[in-house]
Amino acid sequence: MSMISKMLHALGSIRFAVYLLLCTAVLLFTGSVCQNIEPGIFVPLNSLMLFDWLRTFGLENPSRTWWFFLLITVLLLLGINTFICTALRTAKIIGLRNHKSIMAMLFTLSPHIMHFAFLILMTGYFVLYTCGINSYNNIMKPGIQRHVPGSDIRMELREASFYPVDHSVNESLKDMHVDAKCTVVFFDGDKTDMRTAGLNRPCFYKRYSIHVADFNPKKAKSMPKDVWINFTIRKNAGIPLFIAGIIIFTVGVLLYVTPVLSKRNYSGSRFQGSRFKVRLMKYEERKPTLNPEP
Amino acid sequence: MPKKQVILFIAVIYAILFSACDMGNFESIGSFTVKKQKSCTVVSDGIGRKFMLVPRGEKAPENTGGATVIYTPVKRVIAFSTCDVSFLVGFGILQEVLVGVTREKKDWTNESIRKAMDEGKIVFIGDSTLINYELLKSVKPDIVFTWNAAIIPLLEDLNIPAVITNAQTAMGLEAQIKYVKFVAPFFHKEREAGVFSNKFLKTVEYIKSKTPDVQQRPSVIWGDVYNKRVLVEPNNAWVAQLVKLSGGKYELDDVEGASCLEITIERFFLAGRKADIMFTYRSPKTGINTKRQLAIDNPLMASIRPMTSGQIYSPKEIYYESYHRLDEIMLEIASILQPEVFGVPHYEFFQKLQ
């Protein structure tokens, strides 16, 4: 076998996957210990992009973050392992397409479709934390405009309203604002658009999502009544990948459960299910003598 | 499994990762960061906003990565916090750069500030919660050092960069020691900041070297009860860490979060019953100079142990203006907790309530 072929088989083997999963478990356990010793190092991960954090806080504190570097490497290898393994098996199943019905082939492919979907979802997360815009602490007062990060669009906060809770038992919680609702006006060239945002109810504008992170006043009777809302503005480049991943995963699940729910076996195939399974397993063990019967 | 190929693959990944990394001269100081680059310094403030400090006369790069450009050394600054003002005193540039404060002249103990306020070089721009923005604009500051994030949009409207100098979680001892390194690049005082920081670190090392000799560890709480509100220093605050380092036991060890953190009164009394020493936030200016006055002001506190059989210390006004003398403050706290080890305290920064 060539060098590349050897590497592909090594990276895609089940044994390698088991080692990687073992490493992941060990590193996550180590990380939970290291993270508790000095949590401050890991807090900026919430506001920085992954590689920004790695090359600053990560490299500054190697004694506390070494496990994170290893974990990312192991997860990357696990992704590569899953991809190669799934790709090789899918290729083999497709190679057997003349020997079974379409439904049987799709049923056999369904776990691999789910694996691919999972990889796409993971890629979406990777893109989210490495690309796009993640802008924190955009504090706005009503009537004052500011630029949406990374664009010429301007936004303005209008009509901020706050909702207090009526707490009958705890006096200190009474009249505390638990929700904020506001109108955000976007000025994009000649166009003006309005959106409503609230706590846990972000508004969306041209691939940007605007989240309410904090607000003031905190209490209905607080002094001074300084009104501001702190927005987190995101441009999540991973959303198309998330949607694609979810759709593909759903397709994979449906292909897997449909024959089961309809109590069908492989009667449509040229082989009985059990026989086909045995042959497929043999094929996947890469026995060179495998030659399916017509 | 061919291990060589897998190892080779991992080596290639790491080579790509590290070649893409340009760590430069990065330093994190709690929530603050300072990153030296070839022609400028990029800092991030207490809430993670980035500022690119470009030397005057040089051109700022076109792509600032979302950072606000500030030309340095800064020549005119407004400072809300006494801590930031104290570093300007420490750098010896107070009269040259400070143009505005949020405390009235009568509240300052530093003579040079009082004199500069008399001469009109430093202006009182209003209480921190009631800023006179017209006055602020009239003094033409290059930047404003503030702890109040709410003023950011108003200052942005005036094209004045606002740098947030407090953090969302309390600064630990190491961060407090190094904080001067965050302020320094704005004024090209990195060398002086290094001297301060090393001096503070040496004091910490000295305290650390002495504490193994400690026989008894007094229990300490740092906070106060105000009208229905209890504010304390959490265990991640530098004072709490210093108490532990100086041979004390911090009774609010399970409390974590921001400085001046609000906790329940029950939790405070649970700690207050066990504590030998209490540090309050109230300076003598508030009219509290004795335990009796404190008990009259807040009868709820009369029953805690520091009031009955322990000790209570209140910070003098000078304490809040002396962060450039952090080494002396740390030694005084250590000597209050362990007079046998660190000597009798001089009570320069704290006052003992009788």
Side-chain angles (χ1 to χ4, degrees):
Chain A
M1 275 201 284
S2 70
M3 176 83 168
I4 293 173
S5 176
K6 273 184 186 174
M7 191 182 269
L8 277 180
H9 279 103
L11 287 170
S13 73
I14 295 289
R15 182 182 286 187
F16 188 45
V18 172
Y19 285 139
L20 288 173
L21 286 169
L22 195 68
C23 287
T24 309
V26 172
L27 287 169
L28 284 171
F29 175 76
T30 313
S32 68
V33 175
C34 286
Q35 200 265 348
N36 277 327
I37 294 170
E38 215 164 325
I41 297 169
F42 298 92
V43 172
L45 260 176
N46 293 324
S47 53
L48 290 177
M49 288 293 170
L50 179 65
F51 284 103
D52 287 338
W53 184 89
L54 287 177
R55 62 175 165 241
T56 52
F57 290 88
L59 288 178
E60 192 200 14
N61 306 284
S63 60
R64 295 273 181 272
T65 59
W66 60 269
W67 65 272
F68 196 77
F69 282 93
L70 284 180
L71 183 66
I72 287 172
T73 313
V74 167
L75 288 176
L76 179 68
L77 289 173
L78 200 59
I80 291 166
N81 172 271
T82 311
F83 177 78
I84 294 172
C85 180
T86 309
L88 289 175
R89 272 155 180 68
T90 305
K92 282 169 194 169
I93 292 165
I94 290 170
L96 286 171
R97 65 187 179 280
N98 295 328
H99 307 291
K100 54 183 172 163
S101 70
I102 290 173
M103 274 312 289
M105 197 177 82
L106 288 175
F107 178 79
T108 325
L109 270 178
S110 58
H112 303 297
I113 292 171
M114 285 187 264
H115 275 137
F116 270 124
F118 185 70
L119 284 173
I120 293 168
L121 281 168
M122 292 300 283
T123 311
Y125 270 102
F126 185 73
V127 170
L128 167 65
Y129 288 108
T130 52
C131 311
I133 290 168
N134 216 0
S135 174
Y136 285 80
N137 294 306
N138 297 283
I139 299 159
M140 295 191 70
K141 285 197 167 203
I144 294 175
Q145 292 184 9
R146 69 170 299 146
H147 268 113
V148 174
S151 79
D152 291 330
I153 303 166
R154 293 186 73 82
M155 59 186 277
E156 184 185 321
L157 170 68
R158 281 186 198 167
E159 294 164 29
S161 45
F162 306 93
Y163 301 93
V165 65
D166 185 17
H167 208 287
S168 54
V169 180
N170 194 333
E171 192 69 24
S172 65
L173 291 177
K174 203 175 178 183
D175 295 325
M176 186 168 267
H177 288 146
V178 290
D179 195 8
K181 195 178 160 189
C182 61
T183 304
V184 184
V185 185
F186 295 93
F187 301 94
D188 186 6
D190 299 335
K191 286 182 188 171
T192 304
D193 265 315
M194 289 171 92
R195 300 279 190 280
T196 305
L199 208 62
N200 298 324
R201 293 188 306 279
C203 68
F204 297 89
Y205 185 76
K206 287 196 171 175
R207 294 178 65 198
Y208 282 94
S209 59
I210 320 289
H211 308 254
V212 173
D214 196 7
F215 55 81
N216 200 57
K218 292 277 193 295
K219 275 191 171 185
K221 290 172 186 169
S222 73
M223 283 292 285
K225 279 197 171 58
D226 206 2
V227 177
W228 53 262
I229 292 184
N230 186 354
F231 291 106
T232 300
I233 301 172
R234 290 201 174 109
K235 192 175 186 180
N236 189 345
I239 286 179
L241 285 169
F242 290 150
I243 294 168
I246 289 164
I247 292 169
I248 295 170
F249 193 85
T250 312
V251 169
V253 171
L254 287 174
L255 287 173
Y256 189 77
V257 299
T258 307
V260 176
L261 291 177
S262 59
K263 293 180 182 172
R264 278 187 199 168
N265 56 15
Y266 297 109
S267 56
S269 72
R270 290 184 198 179
F271 312 106
Q272 289 299 307
S274 57
R275 216 174 135 196
F276 174 73
K277 264 188 183 173
V278 170
R279 288 190 180 279
L280 185 66
M281 279 167 70
K282 281 184 180 172
Y283 189 87
E284 286 181 353
E285 282 164 11
R286 296 191 300 278
K287 294 221 171 164
T289 52
L290 181 71
N291 186 16
E293 289 170 25
Chain B
M1 186 175 56
K3 287 176 189 169
K4 274 184 190 172
Q5 281 88 340
V6 175
I7 292 166
L8 182 73
F9 185 78
I10 295 171
V12 169
I13 291 172
Y14 269 87
I16 295 167
L17 186 72
F18 283 103
S19 64
C21 284
D22 172 28
M23 193 189 166
N25 197 351
F26 175 83
E27 189 166 19
S28 63
I29 304 160
S31 304
F32 304 89
T33 65
V34 179
K35 189 179 177 185
K36 290 258 173 215
Q37 290 180 342
K38 276 179 190 170
S39 58
C40 61
T41 305
V42 177
V43 298
S44 69
D45 68 4
I47 56 171
R49 293 156 70 247
K50 284 184 180 175
F51 297 89
M52 184 176 275
L53 310 182
V54 181
R56 284 177 191 273
E58 285 186 32
K59 203 181 166 191
E62 277 186 18
N63 182 14
T64 61
T68 305
V69 175
I70 294 174
Y71 289 95
T72 56
V74 168
K75 288 182 176 170
R76 298 177 71 80
V77 61
I78 288 177
F80 278 39
S81 160
T82 51
C83 172
D84 300 325
V85 173
S86 69
F87 286 121
L88 300 182
V89 175
F91 293 148
I93 53 171
L94 181 97
Q95 302 243 11
E96 295 162 37
V97 298
L98 190 66
V99 292
V101 288
T102 55
R103 292 176 102 202
E104 287 185 65
K105 186 195 145 192
K106 64 178 172 64
D107 297 330
W108 292 98
T109 57
N110 188 306
E111 266 311 309
S112 57
I113 298 175
R114 292 166 71 97
K115 197 179 158 204
M117 288 183 91
D118 274 340
E119 291 167 357
K121 286 180 184 170
I122 298 174
V123 178
F124 170 62
I125 58 158
D127 187 76
S128 56
T129 53
L130 212 67
I131 299 293
N132 181 340
Y133 286 96
E134 284 178 1
L135 194 58
L136 185 148
K137 194 184 171 187
S138 71
V139 296
K140 295 175 185 166
D142 294 332
I143 55 166
V144 174
F145 283 141
T146 178
W147 45 260
N148 185 5
I151 70 162
I152 292 172
L154 290 165
L155 292 183
E156 273 178 358
D157 216 34
L158 297 171
N159 277 326
I160 301 168
V163 179
I164 302 296
T165 57
N166 71 326
Q168 283 161 340
T169 52
M171 274 205 266
L173 189 57
E174 194 187 343
Q176 189 64 51
I177 284 169
K178 289 183 181 173
Y179 175 72
V180 63
K181 289 186 175 181
F182 167 75
V183 180
F186 288 91
F187 307 99
H188 290 192
K189 294 287 178 190
E190 287 92 334
R191 197 182 57 79
E192 289 84 346
V195 173
F196 275 115
S197 179
N198 288 340
K199 197 167 67 165
F200 300 160
L201 276 172
K202 272 183 191 167
T203 307
V204 168
E205 288 304 317
Y206 169 73
I207 293 171
K208 217 188 270 183
S209 68
K210 288 274 188 181
T211 41
D213 308 337
V214 166
Q215 299 295 319
Q216 283 185 323
R217 293 182 177 270
S219 284
V220 180
I221 51 171
W222 199 304
D224 214 325
V225 180
Y226 295 90
N227 188 21
K228 288 186 184 173
R229 292 184 79 196
V230 184
L231 303 176
V232 297
E233 287 302 302
N235 77 339
N236 53 312
W238 73 271
V239 285
Q241 290 174 0
L242 183 67
V243 163
K244 285 178 256 179
L245 196 73
S246 310
K249 186 183 169 219
Y250 198 62
E251 276 300 333
L252 297 160
D253 217 14
D254 57 333
V255 178
E256 211 169 286
S259 187
C260 281
L261 188 74
E262 189 167 352
I263 61 166
T264 61
I265 198 149
E266 290 85 358
R267 180 67 193 88
F268 182 80
F269 280 114
L270 193 69
R273 251 188 239 162
K274 296 179 196 166
D276 303 305
I277 296 172
M278 175 178 146
F279 287 88
T280 82
Y281 293 124
R282 297 176 211 233
S283 63
K285 199 184 78 181
T286 56
I288 307 293
N289 286 299
T290 62
K291 285 183 182 178
R292 192 179 145 73
Q293 283 171 328
L294 190 61
I296 291 167
D297 190 66
N298 199 332
L300 276 170
M301 278 178 68
S303 61
I304 62 169
R305 199 152 109 190
M307 285 285 268
T308 53
S309 57
Q311 302 162 35
I312 297 184
Y313 294 90
S314 75
K316 292 180 182 175
E317 282 301 311
I318 193 173
Y319 164 78
Y320 294 108
E321 295 172 28
S322 303
Y323 279 82
H324 60 297
R325 295 167 65 193
L326 191 64
D327 50 336
E328 294 170 55
I329 294 175
M330 289 192 291
L331 271 179
E332 187 163 316
I333 294 170
S335 57
I336 285 171
L337 300 185
Q338 300 290 347
E340 296 87 4
V341 180
F342 297 101
V344 181
H346 299 299
Y347 295 119
E348 190 180 354
F349 303 103
F350 294 92
Q351 157 181 300
K352 189 177 180 182
L353 302 190
Q354 300 297 334

mmCIF file of all heavy atoms in Angstrom, chain B residues 294-308:
data_model
loop_
_atom_site.group_PDB
_atom_site.id
_atom_site.type_symbol
_atom_site.label_atom_id
_atom_site.label_comp_id
_atom_site.label_asym_id
_atom_site.label_seq_id
_atom_site.Cartn_x
_atom_site.Cartn_y
_atom_site.Cartn_z
ATOM 1 N N LEU B 294 -20.566 52.625 65.212
ATOM 2 C CA LEU B 294 -20.952 51.640 64.191
ATOM 3 C C LEU B 294 -22.208 50.887 64.634
ATOM 4 O O LEU B 294 -23.115 50.633 63.830
ATOM 5 C CB LEU B 294 -19.793 50.660 63.947
ATOM 6 C CG LEU B 294 -19.914 49.716 62.758
ATOM 7 C CD1 LEU B 294 -20.013 50.469 61.442
ATOM 8 C CD2 LEU B 294 -18.716 48.774 62.695
ATOM 9 N N ALA B 295 -22.257 50.556 65.931
ATOM 10 C CA ALA B 295 -23.415 49.830 66.468
ATOM 11 C C ALA B 295 -24.659 50.713 66.455
ATOM 12 O O ALA B 295 -25.768 50.222 66.190
ATOM 13 C CB ALA B 295 -23.113 49.361 67.882
ATOM 14 N N ILE B 296 -24.480 52.002 66.711
ATOM 15 C CA ILE B 296 -25.632 52.922 66.690
ATOM 16 C C ILE B 296 -26.131 53.067 65.253
ATOM 17 O O ILE B 296 -27.330 53.029 64.986
ATOM 18 C CB ILE B 296 -25.241 54.305 67.279
ATOM 19 C CG1 ILE B 296 -24.980 54.170 68.789
ATOM 20 C CG2 ILE B 296 -26.322 55.352 67.016
ATOM 21 C CD1 ILE B 296 -24.300 55.373 69.416
ATOM 22 N N ASP B 297 -25.169 53.178 64.330
ATOM 23 C CA ASP B 297 -25.524 53.341 62.924
ATOM 24 C C ASP B 297 -26.218 52.099 62.382
ATOM 25 O O ASP B 297 -27.112 52.180 61.550
ATOM 26 C CB ASP B 297 -24.257 53.634 62.116
ATOM 27 C CG ASP B 297 -24.592 54.040 60.703
ATOM 28 O OD1 ASP B 297 -25.198 55.108 60.542
ATOM 29 O OD2 ASP B 297 -24.256 53.280 59.769
ATOM 30 N N ASN B 298 -25.760 50.950 62.849
ATOM 31 C CA ASN B 298 -26.344 49.703 62.369
ATOM 32 C C ASN B 298 -26.465 48.708 63.525
ATOM 33 O O ASN B 298 -25.575 47.895 63.754
ATOM 34 C CB ASN B 298 -25.468 49.125 61.249
ATOM 35 C CG ASN B 298 -26.240 48.129 60.422
ATOM 36 O OD1 ASN B 298 -27.163 47.484 60.919
ATOM 37 N ND2 ASN B 298 -25.885 48.015 59.168
ATOM 38 N N PRO B 299 -27.580 48.753 64.266
ATOM 39 C CA PRO B 299 -27.743 47.900 65.459
ATOM 40 C C PRO B 299 -27.630 46.407 65.159
ATOM 41 O O PRO B 299 -27.260 45.625 66.029
ATOM 42 C CB PRO B 299 -29.150 48.251 65.954
ATOM 43 C CG PRO B 299 -29.471 49.563 65.341
ATOM 44 C CD PRO B 299 -28.739 49.625 64.058
ATOM 45 N N LEU B 300 -27.947 46.034 63.912
ATOM 46 C CA LEU B 300 -27.867 44.619 63.539
ATOM 47 C C LEU B 300 -26.458 44.064 63.724
ATOM 48 O O LEU B 300 -26.275 42.883 64.004
ATOM 49 C CB LEU B 300 -28.257 44.463 62.063
ATOM 50 C CG LEU B 300 -29.744 44.367 61.734
ATOM 51 C CD1 LEU B 300 -29.933 44.455 60.235
ATOM 52 C CD2 LEU B 300 -30.327 43.085 62.274
ATOM 53 N N MET B 301 -25.476 44.939 63.548
ATOM 54 C CA MET B 301 -24.080 44.480 63.590
ATOM 55 C C MET B 301 -23.538 44.335 65.004
ATOM 56 O O MET B 301 -22.442 43.812 65.200
ATOM 57 C CB MET B 301 -23.189 45.446 62.803
ATOM 58 C CG MET B 301 -23.221 45.180 61.315
ATOM 59 S SD MET B 301 -22.229 46.333 60.424
ATOM 60 C CE MET B 301 -20.606 45.900 60.930
ATOM 61 N N ALA B 302 -24.293 44.817 65.976
ATOM 62 C CA ALA B 302 -23.774 44.862 67.352
ATOM 63 C C ALA B 302 -23.414 43.485 67.900
ATOM 64 O O ALA B 302 -22.579 43.375 68.802
ATOM 65 C CB ALA B 302 -24.791 45.539 68.251
ATOM 66 N N SER B 303 -24.041 42.448 67.337
ATOM 67 C CA SER B 303 -23.847 41.121 67.930
ATOM 68 C C SER B 303 -22.688 40.328 67.318
ATOM 69 O O SER B 303 -22.341 39.266 67.828
ATOM 70 C CB SER B 303 -25.136 40.310 67.796
ATOM 71 O OG SER B 303 -25.430 40.163 66.425
ATOM 72 N N ILE B 304 -22.097 40.800 66.247
ATOM 73 C CA ILE B 304 -21.035 39.981 65.631
ATOM 74 C C ILE B 304 -19.758 40.049 66.473
ATOM 75 O O ILE B 304 -19.525 41.025 67.192
ATOM 76 C CB ILE B 304 -20.759 40.380 64.150
ATOM 77 C CG1 ILE B 304 -20.266 41.820 64.026
ATOM 78 C CG2 ILE B 304 -21.974 40.139 63.282
ATOM 79 C CD1 ILE B 304 -19.742 42.166 62.647
ATOM 80 N N ARG B 305 -18.937 39.004 66.385
ATOM 81 C CA ARG B 305 -17.777 38.872 67.279
ATOM 82 C C ARG B 305 -16.760 40.017 67.186
ATOM 83 O O ARG B 305 -16.290 40.489 68.223
ATOM 84 C CB ARG B 305 -17.084 37.524 67.040
ATOM 85 C CG ARG B 305 -16.208 37.163 68.215
ATOM 86 C CD ARG B 305 -16.084 35.687 68.338
ATOM 87 N NE ARG B 305 -14.727 35.308 67.952
ATOM 88 C CZ ARG B 305 -14.327 34.074 67.756
ATOM 89 N NH1 ARG B 305 -15.180 33.088 67.849
ATOM 90 N NH2 ARG B 305 -13.102 33.797 67.448
ATOM 91 N N PRO B 306 -16.434 40.501 65.992
ATOM 92 C CA PRO B 306 -15.475 41.617 65.957
ATOM 93 C C PRO B 306 -15.963 42.838 66.751
ATOM 94 O O PRO B 306 -15.167 43.609 67.269
ATOM 95 C CB PRO B 306 -15.370 41.950 64.464
ATOM 96 C CG PRO B 306 -15.742 40.702 63.777
ATOM 97 C CD PRO B 306 -16.784 40.065 64.637
ATOM 98 N N MET B 307 -17.285 42.981 66.881
ATOM 99 C CA MET B 307 -17.835 44.114 67.632
ATOM 100 C C MET B 307 -17.731 43.871 69.135
ATOM 101 O O MET B 307 -17.477 44.799 69.909
ATOM 102 C CB MET B 307 -19.308 44.318 67.256
ATOM 103 C CG MET B 307 -19.516 44.945 65.908
ATOM 104 S SD MET B 307 -19.155 46.693 65.896
ATOM 105 C CE MET B 307 -20.739 47.375 66.249
ATOM 106 N N THR B 308 -17.928 42.621 69.546
ATOM 107 C CA THR B 308 -17.947 42.339 70.982
ATOM 108 C C THR B 308 -16.539 42.096 71.535
ATOM 109 O O THR B 308 -16.103 42.777 72.447
ATOM 110 C CB THR B 308 -18.849 41.123 71.267
ATOM 111 O OG1 THR B 308 -18.414 40.036 70.427
ATOM 112 C CG2 THR B 308 -20.310 41.433 70.983
#
